[in-house]
């Protein structure tokens, strides 16, 4: 297994440069998939209250020979619990579901700006960190203006912002604005959730040529692109073979020209699922 570099978040927590997404992994099959991911070398696991699989993640952790202090577990607060008191109870419930004493990272899943309660939710996360429920607090799908407001009204910057990021949507401005506050980015669905356009890019002659040059798969090339952008990819893969392939990203480097080729796929608004955080809401 390759040595996996780490990022130090703005609150001091160290996190690996790649994580494992658990969306849709449930039940015994989910436990087995997560167990094999741990075997493959992943130490950062990503779940959410709304994935309804925090217990699956917790069972995989309990079954693992890897000690809890070697793992970093992330979950996320749903929009229906943005109210301060509800948020604190939801975080406790997340812990009970996973049978964990604490989460390493806890994020607000979406800002839901029309409801205008995300600052209240952020204040709850700050309190939860004080109580020891969470080691590090962050956000997901927050635009620069949302993060600016959190910082202005609470004085606390998120440690991490999990965002939609893939070759069709490189989020250059978002990444630049987050970096000003020391906010590390994390890429959800870094290959694009199996969208048809993404399947096409995996077969694109330029990507195939780069993959052949480095003796890697097209998926590994795209994941390496994320790494070199400074964003933490959290790919999901059910089989041990793909899990191992996805984590083998740190024994090669894309050239500046190859990075430009990946950048050429970017679109002005390349969101694949019309989930614009200024409008989209999830409860």
């Amino acid at each position: 297994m390759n040595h996996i570099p780490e990022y130090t978040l703005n609150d001091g927590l160290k996190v690996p440069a790649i994580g494992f997404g658990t969306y849709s992994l449930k039940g015994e099959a989910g436990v087995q998939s997560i167990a094999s991911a741990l075997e493959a070398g992943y130490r950062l696991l990503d779940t959410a209250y709304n994935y309804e699989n925090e217990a699956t993640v917790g069972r995989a952790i309990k079954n693992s020979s890897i000690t809890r202090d070697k793992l970093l577990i992330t979950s996320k607060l749903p929009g229906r619990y943005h109210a301060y008191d509800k948020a604190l109870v939801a975080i406790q419930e997340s812990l009970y579901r996973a049978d964990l004493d604490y989460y390493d990272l806890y994020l607000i899943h979406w800002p839901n700006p029309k409801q205008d309660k995300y600052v209240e939710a952020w204040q709850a996360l700050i309190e939860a960190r004080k109580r020891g429920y969470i080691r590090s607090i962050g956000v997901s799908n927050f635009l620069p203006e949302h993060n600016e407001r959190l910082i202005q009204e609470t004085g606390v910057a998120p440690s991490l912002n999990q965002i939609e990021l893939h070759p069709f949507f490189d989020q250059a401005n978002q990444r630049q604005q987050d970096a000003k506050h020391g906010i590390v980015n994390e890429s959800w669905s870094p290959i694009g959730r199996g969208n048809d356009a993404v399947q096409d890019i995996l077969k694109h002659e330029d990507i195939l040529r780069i993959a052949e040059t480095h003796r890697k798969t097209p998926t590994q090339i795209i994941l390496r692109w994320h790494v070199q952008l400074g964003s933490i990819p959290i790919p999901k893969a059910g089989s041990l073979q793909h899990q191992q392939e996805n984590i083998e990203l740190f024994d090669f480097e894309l050239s500046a020209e190859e990075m430009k080729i990946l950048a050429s796929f970017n679109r002005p608004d390349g969101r694949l699922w019309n989930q614009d955080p200024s409008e989209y809401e999830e409860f």
Side-chain angles (χ1 to χ4, degrees), residues 49 77-93 106 117 119-125 127-128 131 133:
Y49 197 107
L77 180 75
R80 62 187 179 277
Y81 297 135
H82 277 194
Y84 184 87
D85 290 340
K86 289 183 178 180
L88 285 171
V89 172
I91 294 166
Q92 292 171 345
E93 181 63 24
Y106 207 86
K117 289 186 176 180
V119 175
E120 190 173 342
W122 187 241
Q123 291 167 331
L125 262 64
E127 175 61 25
R131 295 186 186 184
Y133 301 161

Side-chain angles (χ1 to χ4, degrees), residues 13 47-50 54 73-78 81 86-95 97 102-109 121-122 124-126 128-129 133-140 158-160:
L13 183 70
T47 182
Y49 197 107
N50 274 353
E54 289 168 314
I73 315 302
T74 305
S75 195
K76 309 180 197 79
L77 180 75
Y81 297 135
K86 289 183 178 180
L88 285 171
V89 172
I91 294 166
Q92 292 171 345
E93 181 63 24
S94 276
L95 290 169
R97 289 180 177 190
Y102 64 92
Y103 277 104
D104 300 275
L105 279 154
Y106 207 86
L107 318 177
I108 302 175
H109 207 155
W122 187 241
L125 262 64
I126 293 170
R129 184 175 62 178
Y133 301 161
I134 310 164
R135 296 176 67 196
S136 183
I137 57 176
V139 294
S140 180
S159 64
L160 182 144

Side-chain angles (χ1 to χ4, degrees), residues 33-94:
S33 290
I34 297 166
S36 69
L38 294 173
E39 181 183 335
Y42 294 89
R43 295 296 179 264
L44 173 63
L45 301 179
D46 179 81
T47 182
Y49 197 107
N50 274 353
Y51 297 172
E52 298 181 341
N53 71 346
E54 289 168 314
T56 297
V57 172
R59 175 61 64 89
I61 293 168
K62 291 292 183 185
N63 290 353
S64 174
S65 62
I66 301 163
T67 58
R68 174 68 181 90
D69 63 304
K70 302 296 184 185
L71 302 175
L72 292 105
I73 315 302
T74 305
S75 195
K76 309 180 197 79
L77 180 75
R80 62 187 179 277
Y81 297 135
H82 277 194
Y84 184 87
D85 290 340
K86 289 183 178 180
L88 285 171
V89 172
I91 294 166
Q92 292 171 345
E93 181 63 24
S94 276

Side-chain angles (χ1 to χ4, degrees), residues 140-208:
S140 180
N141 304 299
F142 272 49
L143 298 174
E145 56 265 35
H146 301 141
N147 285 327
E148 291 288 350
R149 186 176 171 198
L150 293 184
I151 295 166
Q152 185 177 40
E153 296 194 23
T154 70
V156 178
S159 64
L160 182 144
N161 188 9
Q162 187 182 116
I163 56 176
E164 178 179 359
L165 202 165
H166 44 72
F168 296 113
F169 196 52
D170 70 11
Q171 294 267 42
N173 179 64
Q174 178 78 58
R175 290 185 288 108
Q176 182 181 36
Q177 296 303 313
D178 283 350
K180 289 181 180 179
H181 299 293
I183 301 171
V184 170
N185 290 124
E186 193 172 60
S187 311
W188 59 257
S189 294
I191 310 300
R193 289 187 185 173
N195 182 280
D196 289 342
V198 174
Q199 295 308 306
D200 289 341
I201 197 176
L202 292 174
K203 300 173 185 176
H204 194 281
E205 59 181 359
D206 288 339
I207 302 300
L208 291 173

Side-chain angles (χ1 to χ4, degrees), residues 9 13 28 48 63 81 87 113 148 185 202 212 220 227 236 244 246 253 261:
L9 304 185
L13 183 70
E28 183 58 28
N63 290 353
Y81 297 135
E148 291 288 350
N185 290 124
L202 292 174
E212 184 177 0
Q220 286 172 315
V227 169
K236 187 194 78 172
Q244 290 173 330
N246 289 348
E253 186 171 350
I261 291 172

